[in-house]
Amino acid sequence: MSADFTTLTVEQLSRHYGRRKALHRVSLACHAGDIIGLLGPNGAGKSTLLSILATVLAPSEGHVRYGTLTAASGGAALRGRIGMLGHDLFLYPELSALENLVFFGNLYGLADAEARAKAALARTGLGDRAHDAVAGFSRGMRQRVALERALLHEPRLLLLDEPFTGLDQASTRALVERLRQVQRAGTMTVLATHDLDTVDGLLTRECILRQGRLLGVDASQGTLRDRYHATVHGA
Amino acid sequence: MTRVQQLQLALAGAMLAVAPWIIDGAPYESTMGLVQKIFYFHMPSAWLFLIAALVAGVASARFLFGRAPSADYWAVAAAEMAVVFGIITLVTGPLWARKAWGLWWVWDARLTSSLILWLIFVAYLLLRRFGGPGSDKLGAGMALFGLVNVPFIFVSVNVWRTLHPQTSVVPTLPVEMGAPLWFCLTAFLLLFLALMSMRAGLARQRARIEALYLSEEEA
Amino acid sequence: MRQFLRVAWLVVQKDLRVESRSFEVVSTTLFFSVTVVLIFAFGLVREGRPADDVAAAILWIALAFSGTLALGRTFERERQAETLRALLMAPADRPALYVGKLAGMLVLLVLIEAVLVPLIGLLFQAPILRYPWSLAGLLLAGTVGFSAVGTLFAAMLVRARSRDVLLPILLYPMTVPVMIMGVRGTAALFQATPDEPLARFCLAFLVFIDVVFVTLALWTFEPVMTD
């Protein structure tokens, strides 16, 4: 069964924990090549939305459609077309960079997992550290390995939770460049971040969340930072 | 409280109020004497304890596989009933044992099995109380295992030790002793049904309040 | 089916590789189980002579305690970098992940038993070599039953609060039948006049429990792990 998709539609999505609205009636649409930024203060529901998009959390109400599929109808095949970089990176610190990538590559059923993993590490400039345990890596290096882990199976939808946290300038530039590459390949990206200046110009669209609600984005001029503050603080 | 619940409670209350006289009127069991009368409370509560465990397990399975939220209300309610009737069973059992065998606790097979099953449901409630978000699903898995475990517990404890009056007592009892027993069982059953449906109703009301809070902020 | 086994094998391989880097779980759990044996010995051995059946009891208690510890540590590892979530996100059969984690746990516990059993034989003059195959069968079947429930509960508690204390609270009452059958069967083999039929019955019953527990766990793993 093919689980490919080129659009992502979120309709009236809500997730409640008791009476707390982690996410409330959020709708958005996404097409191939889009990079959507989820912005907003802590506890705005960014991570909840990413978890639902990753199909590991079920919404209380509303739907997510991946092309014509849903999380229920797509099942494992759909999960195989989504890549996620979580805030906690999803890497085994005891294993080497290569072992991590090969393990997940095999788990995703890639026939050439080892070759792909080596190529990915070479591309990120970590080829010579491939056999070192991830535990000894700096935050920036780990982040790069983690991103390659999420991209190894060439997902249609890439989900990133705070990918810029703890990165120095060079690593940030490299990450932005990598995201542009992914964009050119037609992958949809949804990323949650606080680094407004970094992603200004990278995003094709921004979604500003506060207390689980999607705030209408003020279409006025100015930098992303200005727009964000105008929307969140209701200037 | 619904009409049915009121009726059940009133009937259970009335029956339990009369129960002492009925039990008093039952024939005096010659070998065990007066203590045998505890049996009229012990056995009904033990049965309902098992029934409550059964309800909790089945409701949990429905919650887990059928994704019916209402099944969870019944699972919690039944688990609490299991703990309550389990306590009655575990208190009246040793009272009897003290007179019959001279010791409070003799590790009798059925009583020990009841203790283990009771611990499983206490653990279930602890999980629901302290497990945080998502513990409803975890609890459902736990209750399901608890239900499947019942025969294993019973057989294994029997292998380990046995000292109970063997085989079923009920059919062999003379009618005069059986009738009060069925009377008490009915009273306990009514009480059980009323309490369980009230507890499930409470859980449902809570869920509705949460839902109301959610829609309230819309306006 | 081949896919299922392949995923399970990948997870086992990964777990063993992680463990082989530091031997953290094996070494700490092993040391812990030895101290448990000693503490019980001080409580139960008098004038150099253990009471009847003490060896079997201590063996299984030490196993239950160290098994809980190993389960807790193993899943704490999967929680730290949220790798359990990453596993659940992979396009793999989720029950296969469970089987992989269970098999990894079994390898760990069998390693610990390989040290624990000779130790018990040495300290309590238990005739561990009298029926080596029956003893091995009982230990293996008991470990499978214990780990089947333990792996499921530890995996689902990864998301819960107070998981450290909740794991033994949930696990011990649930595994009482396994413990009783294990202890009775082992004691039947160890006692002065061995009771082979009883040991065989216990083994058969343990295998039956294993089948039921593993089936039920495979069945519940997916709905319990998805939120």
Side-chain angles (χ1 to χ4, degrees), chain B residues 21-219:
Chain B
W21 281 276
I22 293 191
I23 294 171
D24 184 44
Y28 198 79
E29 215 270 344
S30 50
T31 45
M32 279 194 259
L34 191 61
V35 254
Q36 184 268 339
K37 310 257 182 201
I38 293 172
F39 188 70
Y40 295 109
F41 270 37
H42 176 67
M43 214 208 60
S45 55
W47 276 28
L48 288 170
F49 172 40
L50 261 181
I51 292 174
L54 187 73
V55 173
V58 171
S60 294
R62 276 205 50 216
F63 177 63
L64 213 51
F65 300 112
R67 303 196 169 260
S70 63
D72 186 49
Y73 312 149
W74 289 100
V76 180
E80 286 188 6
M81 289 305 111
V83 171
V84 169
F85 284 93
I87 287 184
I88 302 178
T89 312
L90 291 173
V91 169
T92 51
L95 283 177
W96 185 358
R98 175 76 180 84
K99 269 300 194 191
W101 298 310
L103 286 169
W104 292 108
W105 190 262
V106 291
W107 295 103
D108 148 69
R110 285 190 214 183
L111 215 48
T112 309
S113 304
S114 304
L115 177 64
I116 297 165
L117 190 62
W118 185 74
L119 285 177
I120 289 180
F121 280 95
V122 173
Y124 171 90
L125 292 186
L126 285 172
L127 171 65
R128 295 299 298 254
R129 175 74 183 76
F130 299 110
S135 54
D136 48 352
K137 281 229 171 132
L138 313 190
M142 166 96 191
L144 194 57
F145 264 87
L147 177 65
V148 171
N149 218 352
V150 170
F152 295 156
I153 295 174
F154 194 71
V155 173
S156 62
V157 172
N158 261 294
V159 166
W160 178 63
R161 171 151 213 186
T162 184
L163 237 177
H164 212 271
Q166 280 304 314
T167 68
S168 166
V169 198
V170 192
T172 59
L173 285 174
V175 184
E176 311 88 84
M177 236 189 267
L181 185 61
W182 288 110
F183 180 84
C184 287
L185 186 62
T186 313
F188 269 75
L189 183 65
L190 285 169
L191 184 68
F192 168 81
L193 288 175
L195 288 178
M196 184 169 69
S197 60
M198 277 165 69
R199 179 63 184 85
L202 179 67
R204 186 179 302 111
Q205 299 281 8
R206 271 199 192 142
R208 268 179 56 193
I209 286 183
E210 301 292 309
L212 280 176
Y213 263 102
L214 285 169
S215 55
E216 153 74 14
E217 282 170 47
E218 296 299 289

Side-chain angles (χ1 to χ4, degrees), chain A residues 145-157:
Chain A
V145 178
L147 181 67
E148 291 309 320
R149 187 205 72 83
L151 286 171
L152 203 62
H153 55 288
E154 292 167 358
R156 280 267 137 226
L157 174 63

